[in-house]
Amino acid sequence: MNETLQNDYSHLMNTYRPQPVELVRGEGAYVWDVTGRRFLDFVAGIAVNNLGHCHPAVVDAVRRQAETLIHVSNLYRIPVQAELAELLCDHSFAWACFFCNSGAEAVEAAVKLARRYGIRTKGEGASGIVAAKGSFHGRTMGAMTATGQERIHSGFGPLVPGFSHVPFGNAAALEEEVGEDTAAVILEPIQGESGVVTPPDGYLSRVREICDREGALLIFDEIQTGMGRTGTLFAYERFDVKPDVMVLAKGLAGGLPMGACLAGDRAASVFEPGSHASTFGGNPLVSAASCAALRATLSDGVLENCVTMGEYFMNELRRIAGETDLIAEVRGVGLMIGVELTRGGPEVVDAFRERNILVNCTAERVLRFLPPLIVTKDEVDEVTSAFKDIIGGL
């Protein structure tokens, strides 16, 4: 195996621990390194490349837009941005959108929106944000504070005041925490970074009831679960629980950096000129890419394939789990799948890579499978066959 790096990476800040692979090209579910070696990609840019690499509709939209207008700032009206906002609102609960560049930025916008809403509707002091332990919402100060993992906070204090955390899936604990000083509850419908943790039955609907009773907004962080990852365009549809605010990113623009904060009318109306801003957010290029990605997701059978392949993939993984004590649990929804091992996962990730397959490990021992939503049965079979061999060799 040739894993010799050809470039000098010493001038990059030491914020990641990348695998020894230099990627230079992608198409569909595959990527190629600098030596021409092909990998089957079941990471998909951590759920960014929902349509696979370089989807023709996205590439065409970017090419056409880049030849026309790339950036003008939000000091001016941008027709393609308005088109995207209308598309997202027409296919969700939302009334209005704010566009930015990343999921963390979208969370910051949602927290600011919620605090202004809480103070205006409930009075000064109603700025509390309740989040879940084990959650992950991003690395900026507000998003990091919302994140319910001490290891993410470590060394970056003081954190933003007014945040608290309760166990994910425990409605009684949440009910005890939410009160008159609560502006909002922020949750991932399915916790991704913590190892694809799904909520117990009825939990999200109970959270909705608590927020309604206490006058708090419900924010769903669908940065990872959104844009079809769970088989519906947004995960809240699957759980039949509508939020007041939703944040998106990752798969939103077909591989380009983009985030969005969507809200219903009562929440969105508290923002006014000067309340919030993003220089690059929703510029013509990323908006055109996002329109193309959203239309392709809705019209090309992508959601149906996600459901079919997700069920097939999980059934195959559970069949393997039934033959070994090295797998504690297979869980997930759609093509957001976690396999919890009874041992560390990095060694398994390395073994997959040696078989030309890219997978990810999170929470130390959870293999997180996030293939593109266009994945085929043959590609799933290649991964499960390799997994069976790897598990058998441990």
Side-chain angles (χ1 to χ4, degrees):
M1 179 179 65
N2 183 1
E3 290 184 343
T4 302
L5 299 184
Q6 299 190 356
N7 294 295
D8 180 7
Y9 292 85
S10 63
H11 296 292
L12 291 173
M13 286 195 184
N14 189 27
T15 56
Y16 287 91
R17 190 178 296 111
Q19 294 187 34
V21 181
E22 290 185 304
L23 299 176
V24 294
R25 186 166 76 87
E27 181 180 342
Y30 293 91
V31 288
W32 285 259
D33 74 2
V34 290
T35 70
R37 182 180 172 191
R38 191 180 78 161
F39 296 86
L40 180 55
D41 183 7
F42 270 43
V43 178
I46 314 179
V48 166
N49 301 307
N50 283 1
L51 297 171
H53 293 274
C54 300
H55 189 279
V58 176
V59 171
D60 184 54
V62 169
R63 181 183 294 118
R64 285 187 286 109
Q65 190 61 49
E67 292 173 347
T68 306
L69 186 68
I70 295 176
H71 180 77
V72 290
S73 98
N74 289 297
L75 294 175
Y76 307 96
R77 296 193 184 278
I78 303 170
V80 69
Q81 183 189 87
E83 179 185 345
L84 173 61
E86 184 175 359
L87 271 173
L88 286 168
C89 290
D90 283 350
H91 290 90
S92 74
F93 73 96
W95 179 72
C97 306
F98 170 81
F99 294 115
C100 47
N101 308 291
S102 68
E105 262 192 89
V107 170
E108 298 288 349
V111 168
K112 286 181 66 176
L113 188 76
R115 286 193 157 173
R116 175 163 283 202
Y117 177 86
I119 291 168
R120 285 192 175 180
T121 59
K122 300 168 70 175
E124 289 293 333
S127 58
I129 306 293
V130 180
K133 294 180 179 178
S135 61
F136 182 81
H137 299 290
R139 303 273 185 173
T140 55
M141 285 304 296
M144 181 182 70
T145 305
T147 294
Q149 301 184 53
E150 291 184 5
R151 68 179 180 86
I152 302 293
H153 299 165
S154 179
F156 294 108
L159 302 178
V160 178
F163 287 77
S164 60
H165 298 87
V166 296
F168 182 67
N170 186 331
L174 184 84
E175 187 167 21
E176 188 172 332
E177 186 68 17
V178 176
E180 292 182 356
D181 62 349
T182 304
V185 173
I186 181 169
L187 295 172
E188 300 160 274
I190 301 170
Q191 292 189 334
E193 190 71 18
S194 280
V196 191
V197 181
T198 56
D201 291 344
Y203 171 67
L204 295 179
S205 60
R206 183 66 185 132
V207 173
R208 177 73 271 178
E209 291 172 1
I210 294 168
C211 287
D212 287 343
R213 189 188 67 208
E214 299 295 338
L217 295 179
L218 175 57
I219 303 170
F220 276 167
D221 178 340
E222 293 232 25
I223 291 168
Q224 191 166 141
T225 57
M227 304 310 296
R229 175 56 56 182
T230 65
T232 51
L233 189 58
F234 306 110
Y236 79 78
E237 301 172 80
R238 177 169 288 276
F239 295 105
D240 197 24
V241 177
K242 291 182 182 178
D244 301 297
V245 180
M246 176 170 68
V247 291
L248 302 172
K250 292 194 181 291
L252 181 56
L256 273 71
M258 189 176 201
C261 174
L262 281 61
D265 56 354
R266 69 185 179 118
S269 61
V270 302
F271 267 178
E272 56 200 23
S275 299
H276 199 55
S278 174
T279 296
F280 293 102
N283 77 23
L285 190 70
V286 294
S287 293
S290 189
C291 285
L294 180 54
R295 289 193 172 102
T297 301
L298 292 169
S299 64
D300 292 350
V302 173
L303 298 179
E304 294 81 359
N305 190 67
C306 177
V307 172
T308 303
M309 286 298 103
E311 290 175 353
Y312 176 72
F313 194 9
M314 274 196 280
N315 285 337
E316 291 299 295
L317 290 169
R318 286 177 175 135
R319 184 175 57 79
I320 296 171
E323 300 170 355
T324 177
D325 58 2
L326 294 176
I327 298 175
E329 185 180 15
V330 176
R331 55 182 180 252
V333 178
L335 284 169
M336 184 176 178
I337 300 171
V339 175
E340 183 170 347
L341 304 174
T342 57
R343 55 177 293 164
E347 182 182 354
V348 179
V349 170
D350 291 344
F352 267 114
R353 192 177 65 250
E354 290 172 2
R355 289 165 171 78
N356 299 329
I357 297 169
L358 301 182
V359 302
N360 169 245
C361 174
T362 190
E364 302 295 334
R365 61 181 188 182
V366 179
L367 299 175
R368 182 172 49 171
F369 294 97
L370 299 168
L373 309 186
I374 58 167
V375 71
T376 65
K377 179 177 177 295
D378 286 346
E379 289 159 351
V380 170
D381 287 341
E382 181 177 343
V383 170
T384 53
S385 176
F387 189 33
K388 188 172 182 178
D389 287 345
I390 293 167
I391 288 292
L394 292 177

